Amino acid sequence: MTYASLKPVSKAFDQRKRLIFIRIAAALAVLLLFLTKPALSEGSDGHETLELVGFCLVLICVVGRLWSILYVGGKKNEELVSTGPFSMSQNPLYFFSTVGAVGIGLLYGSLVAAAALGVASFLIFRVTARKEAEYLLGKFGAAYTAYIMATPRFWPNPLLYRDNDELQFSTRALRRTFFDGLYFLAIFPAIELIEYLRETGVMFPAFVTLY
């Protein structure tokens, strides 16, 4: 999928808008944890399987984001990066973040929560990616047009992978992304704590059961 109707702009997308949407989505996700409970009970085979798959997806998210930031950290909107993960997808950071959102839903033990968080993340990043693409088209012109015509917009295609022999990266961006990834990993003990408090009667019971 490519951006068939992009309109070049000279101003980069204001990332603060994306952060606002993400924070709203995060607040809704927390509310989801407090007001609902998964249909599969804690300790059941189904619940444990979903937790394991979810934890694996969150790890993929963290590692994938670190891998992507090695290539684009400190260069975003300044250079046209088209190697490494960016040779397989125009937006690998957003792809891995969406994978992490789905993983969080599965950690909670709910397919509905996983689908809701995944769709919400995809829609937020879809809007952001289009705005960024409009700026990059205005900045890099024909070179960016050729890139988006040859590279999937979201879903990575491993067959397209190519890389450079050497790589320069921003240690600051890598460090910031690492700490961002810790938030994803911190969700797991937070979910476990909520489930424990609910089972022991410390927390009020959930209003809705999610499958």
Side-chain angles (χ1 to χ4, degrees), residues 7-158:
K7 297 179 180 179
V9 297
S10 58
K11 185 178 180 180
F13 176 70
D14 187 355
Q15 294 293 335
R16 288 177 297 179
K17 295 179 180 179
R18 175 176 64 85
L19 292 175
I20 290 173
F21 282 119
I22 291 176
R23 286 167 183 168
I24 291 174
L28 292 175
V30 171
L31 185 64
L32 180 75
L33 295 180
F34 280 101
L35 300 181
T36 66
K37 68 175 182 179
L40 295 172
S41 60
E42 175 72 17
S44 67
D45 290 342
H47 190 283
E48 294 300 313
T49 299
L50 290 183
E51 277 192 347
L52 176 60
V53 174
F55 187 71
C56 290
L57 291 182
V58 169
L59 284 181
I60 290 173
C61 164
V62 173
V63 174
R65 284 179 54 82
L66 288 171
W67 180 38
S68 299
I69 213 68
L70 283 174
Y71 287 79
V72 77
K75 306 174 187 176
K76 193 169 186 178
N77 295 333
E78 298 301 326
E79 295 182 18
L80 180 55
V81 179
S82 59
T83 56
F86 291 88
S87 65
M88 302 185 295
S89 168
Q90 297 171 38
N91 300 285
L93 277 165
Y94 297 160
F95 168 77
F96 286 117
S97 295
T98 302
V99 168
V102 173
I104 289 172
L106 294 179
L107 279 175
Y108 188 54
S110 169
L111 294 174
V112 173
L117 292 175
V119 170
S121 298
F122 176 80
L123 293 177
I124 291 172
F125 292 135
R126 180 184 177 90
V127 173
T128 304
R130 182 178 181 85
K131 295 296 183 181
E132 291 178 345
E134 290 174 347
Y135 171 75
L136 293 174
L137 179 61
K139 186 176 181 68
F140 297 107
Y144 187 69
T145 300
Y147 170 67
I148 64 176
M149 292 298 293
T151 312
R153 181 176 174 181
F154 186 76
W155 300 104
N157 181 356

Side-chain angles (χ1 to χ4, degrees), residues 183-205:
Y183 287 106
F184 281 94
L185 294 175
I187 291 293
F188 181 65
I191 290 175
E192 291 294 312
L193 177 61
I194 290 174
E195 290 177 342
Y196 172 77
L197 293 177
R198 183 166 286 146
E199 288 181 358
T200 56
V202 176
M203 184 181 294
F204 57 82

